Amino acid sequence: MNNFSEDKFFSAPQWFLQKSESTDVVMFAEAIAIRNVAGYSFCLAMSDDEREEVKSMLVDFLRDGDYDTTSAKSLTPMERMMFAERWTISHKTALHPGASEILINEDESESAVVCNIEHLWMRTVSTLENLSMKTKLLLQSLDSMELEHKWATHPQIGFLSPSPAACGAGISISILCHLPASIISNRFARIHSTAESYGIKFVDPWIGGFDMGNPFVKFTTSSLVGRNPDDLLADISMLAEEIIRIERLAREEMNENSIVLEDKVMRAFGLVSYAKVIEMWEFLEILSTLRLGAVMGIIDVPLHKIDEMMVLGQQAHTASMVDDGPDPLKIAQKRAEMMREKLGINEMLE
Amino acid sequence: MERKKRICDVCGEREGVITVVQYIGGVRKKLFVCLECAAKVGVDEQLADEQVVIESAQELEHTCPMCGWKLKDVVDTGMLGCPNCYEEFYDEVVPLLEHFHGRGCLKRNVSIALRKDLTTLQWQLRKAVDEERFEDAAYFRDLIKKVEDEIMDDEIKSLLNMDDDDDLEEFMGV
Ligand SMILES: [Zn+2]
Ligand SMILES: [Zn+2]
């Protein structure tokens, strides 16, 4: 059964638009837990019968919560990609859903995938300020599940996953940061080495690879064996504090030479105002500059509208709004139109 | 021990830090690359640079009795088949774990040495029930109970910081 209305994809997830004291730099925080049921093979090696058994016990439990359930198969590839662009499921699950079940709560701040790579992949997102509370809730629900099914663990390794990289604490914590000033002022190397000292790696916010120039950077705890969730939360909080400090300092410095910053922002504003097509490669760069401009009070566009575009301007979201097939040029054209409309630039220009 | 620096296979300039696996024309190829090039070639399938050299075809056929996963499958997919694979291929998996989580990560955990037994026993119990070997099932059920009790003792002990069984017995009033 597919419970998702297509309207969902015409706006960004509500949780993503919520703002807190730190969202000028840390856009959101996320905890992803993985669990595998003891006594069963992992997904790749399991028989169909085993899979059905594991699936039904986990899905039955989760369905008691606030989730809508759908089998991955009932989603179109385009819908799966859109969920990946909204951080609801991983890029990997979107590309290779297999026979998994996907569960998503009303505002998409919580989701779970059953029997994809892990028996259970569960995610919660929030502002940085609420991360610790939301993580504890996630762990509590996993503990209550364990009353029925023991999770697979190993005395030295911790929670087990088919992938050695995911073993250990059974959870990983991430933050998505917006670091335009740190990157322009060459402070990123410092942030990088601080992250490294905590066993935290940085990845592209969507695909998970590395992209050096991207001002939107996701930091993820990657050293998980021999660690517990509290360690990881503490590491991320300390790193976030340091990142916020460095980025705000860099922004202040840029502001001292305000004509350069203003010029940069107004050029980006001019580009969105008049461009007929905006391609994917330039899209995030423009958006980042506008976001910086909005945070610094240079342009009068609400932050949540810019952040909304960050989701709607992604390839699958924009493609889904183009009527006659996924023609790259039409998608880029739609993106340009949508940015003008959503950011309220049309009215400003009148 | 200081590792020897190796140059990136792709750009030939920067220092390589990571081994990625690529399928080029259907052939599986390992590349040792820098972070920048890793971004270009993709890091979907990371392997440790300390990746164990598998010596013989026979070794590759080493099979986990619980799930039927072979060492060959571990090498091909970078994934394991079941919890027991971590015991079965322990020597091969340790370098991977250390690559991802840092050297010495396995020594960080001073934990419940019994959980593994429990996982295996639960497995055996389930198989026995599935195959209607009820006597075996009863046997495993008893063992599980015992191990669970031991884990409980262990947790209480670590909670109270008692090393001695006598202390525990005294505490429990036995
Ligand atoms: Zn290179
Ligand atoms: Zn196995």
Side-chain angles (χ1 to χ4, degrees), chain A residues 131-163:
Chain A
L131 171 67
S132 168
M133 184 261 294
K134 294 276 283 201
T135 305
K136 302 250 147 83
L137 288 175
L138 174 62
L139 291 170
Q140 266 170 26
S141 76
L142 288 165
D143 284 349
S144 64
M145 286 174 93
E146 192 166 28
L147 297 175
E148 285 173 49
H149 332 288
K150 287 276 176 243
W151 303 124
T153 57
H154 182 282
Q156 270 85 45
I157 302 169
F159 288 105
L160 294 179
S161 153
S163 158

Side-chain angles (χ1 to χ4, degrees), chain B residues 64 67 82 85:
Chain B
C64 167
C67 69
C82 77
C85 285

Side-chain angles (χ1 to χ4, degrees), chain A residues 42 154-155 161-162 164 210 223 225, chain B residues 39 80-81 86-87 101 108 111 126:
Chain A
F42 298 138
H154 182 282
S161 153
F210 303 93
S223 176
V225 170
Chain B
L80 286 89
Y86 279 90
E87 288 302 324
H101 305 281
R108 278 190 223 136
S111 90
R126 201 176 59 79

Side-chain angles (χ1 to χ4, degrees), chain A residues 46-63:
Chain A
M46 77 199 320
S47 67
D48 290 348
D49 288 349
E50 268 186 312
R51 181 177 299 108
E52 285 316 309
E53 234 174 277
V54 168
K55 226 192 224 176
S56 74
M57 61 195 193
L58 295 179
V59 170
D60 281 353
F61 189 97
L62 291 165
R63 214 178 257 146

Side-chain angles (χ1 to χ4, degrees), chain B residues 7-16 32-38 40:
Chain B
I7 298 302
C8 168
D9 289 340
V10 174
C11 63
E13 278 172 19
R14 290 174 288 260
E15 190 194 340
F32 190 65
V33 296
C34 67
L35 285 189
E36 284 84 343
C37 294
K40 286 175 217 142

Side-chain angles (χ1 to χ4, degrees), chain A residues 120-139:
Chain A
L120 177 60
W121 176 99
M122 244 175 127
R123 152 202 162 276
T124 184
V125 281
S126 69
T127 56
L128 178 64
E129 287 80 356
N130 288 335
L131 171 67
S132 168
M133 184 261 294
K134 294 276 283 201
T135 305
K136 302 250 147 83
L137 288 175
L138 174 62
L139 291 170

